[in-house]
Amino acid sequence: MENEITITVIDQSGTAHTLLCPLEMGLTLKDICKAYELPMEAMCGGMAMCATCHCFILCETIHLPEKNDIEEALLSELFTSKATSRLACQIHLTAQMDDLSVKIAAD
Protein backbone atom coordinates (compact mmCIF):
# COMPACT_ATOMS: atom_id res chain seq x y z
CA MET A 1 0.00 0.00 0.00
CA GLU A 2 1.40 3.40 -0.90
CA ASN A 3 0.19 5.15 2.26
CA GLU A 4 2.00 2.86 4.67
CA ILE A 5 5.54 1.87 5.47
CA THR A 6 7.11 -1.13 7.14
CA ILE A 7 9.29 -0.75 10.23
CA THR A 8 11.14 -3.42 12.19
CA VAL A 9 11.21 -2.95 15.96
CA ILE A 10 13.33 -5.18 18.17
CA ASP A 11 12.07 -5.37 21.74
CA GLN A 12 14.18 -5.69 24.90
CA SER A 13 14.15 -9.51 24.69
CA GLY A 14 15.56 -9.43 21.14
CA THR A 15 12.32 -10.35 19.36
CA ALA A 16 11.87 -8.58 16.02
CA HIS A 17 8.41 -7.21 15.19
CA THR A 18 7.44 -6.11 11.68
CA LEU A 19 5.02 -3.19 11.89
CA LEU A 20 2.82 -1.87 9.09
CA CYS A 21 2.51 1.85 9.70
CA PRO A 22 -0.13 4.08 8.08
CA LEU A 23 1.19 7.49 7.09
CA GLU A 24 -2.01 9.50 6.78
CA MET A 25 -2.58 9.57 10.55
CA GLY A 26 0.50 11.64 11.51
CA LEU A 27 1.81 9.01 13.93
CA THR A 28 5.16 8.95 15.67
CA LEU A 29 7.35 5.92 16.19
CA LYS A 30 6.13 5.91 19.81
CA ASP A 31 2.49 5.89 18.67
CA ILE A 32 2.94 2.88 16.40
CA CYS A 33 4.88 0.94 19.05
CA LYS A 34 2.07 1.55 21.53
CA ALA A 35 -0.57 0.61 18.92
CA TYR A 36 1.16 -2.74 18.43
CA GLU A 37 1.39 -3.10 22.24
CA LEU A 38 5.18 -3.31 22.24
CA PRO A 39 6.98 -2.85 25.58
CA MET A 40 7.72 0.87 25.30
CA GLU A 41 6.73 2.76 28.42
CA ALA A 42 6.42 6.31 27.01
CA MET A 43 5.31 7.56 30.41
CA CYS A 44 4.76 11.20 29.42
CA GLY A 45 2.57 10.28 26.46
CA GLY A 46 4.87 11.73 23.84
CA MET A 47 5.59 15.16 25.32
CA ALA A 48 9.41 14.71 25.30
CA MET A 49 9.57 14.96 29.08
CA CYS A 50 10.68 11.53 30.32
CA ALA A 51 12.87 9.65 27.80
CA THR A 52 11.03 6.36 28.49
CA CYS A 53 10.57 5.90 24.73
CA HIS A 54 14.34 5.73 24.23
CA CYS A 55 15.36 3.59 21.27
CA PHE A 56 18.38 2.95 19.07
CA ILE A 57 18.28 3.49 15.30
CA LEU A 58 19.80 0.41 13.66
CA CYS A 59 20.02 1.50 10.02
CA GLU A 60 22.28 4.28 8.82
CA THR A 61 20.71 4.59 5.37
CA ILE A 62 17.37 6.03 6.57
CA HIS A 63 17.46 9.81 7.00
CA LEU A 64 15.72 11.01 10.16
CA PRO A 65 15.09 14.61 11.18
CA GLU A 66 17.75 16.10 13.43
CA LYS A 67 17.29 15.94 17.21
CA ASN A 68 15.89 19.11 18.71
CA ASP A 69 17.41 20.70 21.83
CA ILE A 70 14.91 19.07 24.21
CA GLU A 71 15.54 15.59 22.80
CA GLU A 72 19.32 16.14 22.98
CA ALA A 73 19.06 17.26 26.61
CA LEU A 74 16.94 14.28 27.67
CA LEU A 75 19.20 11.78 25.90
CA SER A 76 22.31 13.35 27.45
CA GLU A 77 20.96 12.48 30.91
CA LEU A 78 20.70 8.75 30.14
CA PHE A 79 23.52 6.38 31.07
CA THR A 80 22.60 4.10 28.15
CA SER A 81 22.54 6.80 25.47
CA LYS A 82 24.58 6.24 22.28
CA ALA A 83 25.11 8.17 19.07
CA THR A 84 22.18 6.23 17.57
CA SER A 85 19.80 7.04 20.46
CA ARG A 86 16.51 8.75 19.74
CA LEU A 87 13.22 9.38 21.51
CA ALA A 88 10.48 7.54 19.62
CA CYS A 89 7.99 10.30 20.44
CA GLN A 90 10.05 12.76 18.42
CA ILE A 91 10.18 10.70 15.21
CA HIS A 92 7.15 11.42 13.02
CA LEU A 93 6.69 8.66 10.45
CA THR A 94 7.25 9.59 6.81
CA ALA A 95 7.48 7.66 3.54
CA GLN A 96 11.27 8.06 3.62
CA MET A 97 11.38 5.87 6.75
CA ASP A 98 10.25 2.71 4.96
CA ASP A 99 12.37 -0.25 6.17
CA LEU A 100 13.55 1.61 9.28
CA SER A 101 14.91 -0.70 12.00
CA VAL A 102 15.03 0.26 15.66
CA LYS A 103 15.68 -1.41 19.00
CA ILE A 104 13.78 -0.39 22.11
CA ALA A 105 16.26 0.49 24.86
CA ALA A 106 16.24 -1.52 28.08
CA ASP A 107 14.53 0.09 31.07
Side-chain angles (χ1 to χ4, degrees):
M1 187 180 252
E2 71 181 56
N3 285 332
E4 69 180 19
I5 60 173
T6 302
I7 292 178
T8 301
V9 178
I10 301 170
D11 65 25
Q12 295 94 331
S13 67
T15 303
H17 305 268
T18 302
L19 313 183
L20 295 176
C21 311
L23 295 176
E24 68 274 359
M25 299 173 67
L27 300 174
T28 64
L29 180 57
K30 183 267 313 169
D31 295 331
I32 202 70
C33 287
K34 296 300 271 182
Y36 275 87
E37 298 181 353
L38 296 180
M40 179 179 284
E41 191 170 353
M43 218 162 83
C44 72
M47 302 296 293
M49 296 173 64
C50 68
T52 58
C53 64
H54 178 211
C55 63
F56 303 105
I57 305 303
L58 301 177
C59 49
E60 298 174 13
T61 58
I62 306 284
H63 176 73
L64 297 177
E66 295 295 319
K67 299 173 194 169
N68 63 33
D69 292 341
I70 294 169
E71 183 177 8
E72 286 278 9
L74 283 168
L75 290 171
S76 72
E77 295 176 9
L78 300 175
F79 293 116
T80 57
S81 184
K82 300 178 185 178
T84 60
S85 290
R86 293 299 303 261
L87 298 181
C89 70
Q90 297 302 295
I91 300 174
H92 292 271
L93 301 177
T94 66
Q96 294 75 28
M97 293 177 196
D98 195 30
D99 294 325
L100 176 68
S101 294
V102 302
K103 180 174 185 352
I104 299 172
D107 294 337

